[in-house]
Structure formats: structure tokens, C-alpha cells
Amino acid sequence: MMKILAPVNAPEEVIPVVLAGADEIYCGITPPDWAGDFSNVAGMNRREWSSANLRDLSALRETVKAAHAREVRVFLALNGLYTQGQYPLLKRLIGPLIETKVDAFIVADPGLLMLLKKEQPDAEIHISTGATVFNSEAVRFFQETGAKRIVLPRHLQPEEMAEIISRCPEMEFEVFILNSGCRNIDGFCT
């Protein structure tokens, strides 16, 4: 089954994106305390702050409410690779982020994956392209941690993707068809 997953930057974008055909949406968040402590290179979702990021928890709650009213799922991208200095704030934000009722978390950092599973054992986890899942053994590793979906790195060739998918038929997979044109290997940039 194919679904269209599209990003949003603001709650007002939910309805137009859904009407345009999105089956699922994703977004990041840049809460004021994160923006105040870290540069936009160290965003919570590896994107510059104006790209697919909501301004605060209130905007995230509005986005989830608007999407759920249209039976569209919302995935929150927390797919940075976090430093020791970022973890205290990240830990404080996890509870409020879980309370927004997003449908899944997109993660790359194994430490965050473990933290989310500890705080919310039933949380749906999608493994970001930033986790650099290059082979079926990596898929199995993340599957054992409870991940439901793997976003394959965009530089893999279609035949490489097909082989990984054929070896792990019980896992959901996602691939990018359109992206920013970045030539770096996901997970090894910035």
C-alpha cells in the first residue's frame, strides 16, 4: 500500500495538505527554550527551523487536533542526533510531547528511542533516514527495539531497497520521492 506523507510548518497548513492528497503528515517542533539554547543547526529534527517545524507545543496540539478531525495521522520528527548537553532539555520535553497525542515519533538517536520506550512503552516509533539503515540487519535491530517503520536512506538504489524490504516483510518502510536534493548521506551530514 502506498501513502503520501507530507510536512507542515503550521496548523493552518493541515487542511490544504490533506485536501491535496496527504494521507499522513509530519512536522518537527522548535520550542522557545530549545531555540534559545541551541542553534538552528542543532534543531530537534535536523532541519533548519523554518522548514517543517512548528513554533511550540500549542501549535503541535492544534496540528494534531486538525489532522485527527480528518482522520489523518501526525508523526513528530525528533530525528536529531543529540549531544549530552541537549539531553536534559530533551528529557523535560518528552512528557509534554507525548501528551499532544501525536501518532508516532520519527527518531534517529538510539538514546532517544530508549527514552521514549521507557516513558511511553506503547509509543509508535519510526526510524528516521538519519539512522542510516543500510541493510536488513539494521532493520532487525530496530525491529527488536519496537520500531514499526523504517525510513530508508534516500541514496539507496531501488534494487537495494527492494532487497532490504524482501528480507524484512513484516516491517513498514518509507522512502522519499521528493526531497531537498542534498547529496550527503543521511545521518552523516551537519
Side-chain angles (χ1 to χ4, degrees):
M1 171 190 334
M2 183 180 79
K3 294 182 182 178
I4 296 173
L5 173 64
V8 295
N9 290 325
E12 323 52 81
E13 294 181 358
V14 171
I15 294 172
V17 166
V18 170
L19 291 175
D23 301 298
E24 303 169 331
I25 61 173
Y26 76 94
C27 57
I29 184 170
T30 305
D33 41 356
W34 190 276
D37 289 351
F38 305 107
S39 77
N40 66 346
V41 174
M44 291 179 73
N45 73 345
R46 296 179 58 234
R47 292 212 178 255
E48 195 274 323
W49 292 347
S50 65
S51 180
N53 280 301
L54 303 171
R55 68 187 175 281
D56 56 27
L57 284 165
S58 174
L60 180 58
R61 283 189 290 273
E62 289 176 48
T63 298
V64 170
K65 183 178 177 181
H68 285 177
R70 285 147 191 87
E71 298 183 11
V72 171
R73 293 172 20 109
V74 178
F75 308 145
L76 181 62
L78 297 175
N79 54 346
L81 298 171
Y82 305 106
T83 67
Q84 197 66 39
Q86 292 170 323
Y87 259 86
L89 179 53
L90 193 57
K91 286 179 179 179
R92 285 195 306 275
L93 288 169
I94 291 300
L97 291 171
I98 289 169
E99 290 170 5
T100 66
K101 305 286 188 215
V102 296
D103 297 287
F105 295 92
I106 305 169
V107 301
D109 187 307
L112 177 60
L113 171 63
M114 294 299 143
L115 178 62
L116 281 167
K117 283 306 205 177
K118 178 182 170 193
E119 296 295 319
Q120 184 70 31
D122 296 332
E124 185 173 318
I125 304 294
H126 297 182
I127 302 302
S128 166
T129 184
T132 59
V133 176
F134 296 133
N135 55 56
S136 58
E137 290 304 313
V139 172
R140 288 188 189 98
F141 168 79
F142 285 117
Q143 188 173 20
E144 288 174 11
T145 67
K148 182 177 179 184
R149 182 184 289 184
I150 303 286
V151 186
L152 292 172
R154 63 180 167 238
H155 68 280
L156 290 177
Q157 297 299 311
E159 55 274 4
E160 293 172 308
M161 292 179 190
E163 183 176 346
I164 292 169
I165 292 167
S166 72
R167 290 180 183 215
C168 303
E170 62 287 344
M171 180 61 75
E172 284 183 25
F173 290 92
E174 180 179 319
V175 297
F176 287 106
I177 358 183
L178 299 173
N179 205 345
S180 61
C182 178
R183 288 182 258 178
N184 293 322
I185 293 176
D186 295 318
F188 299 119
C189 62
T190 64

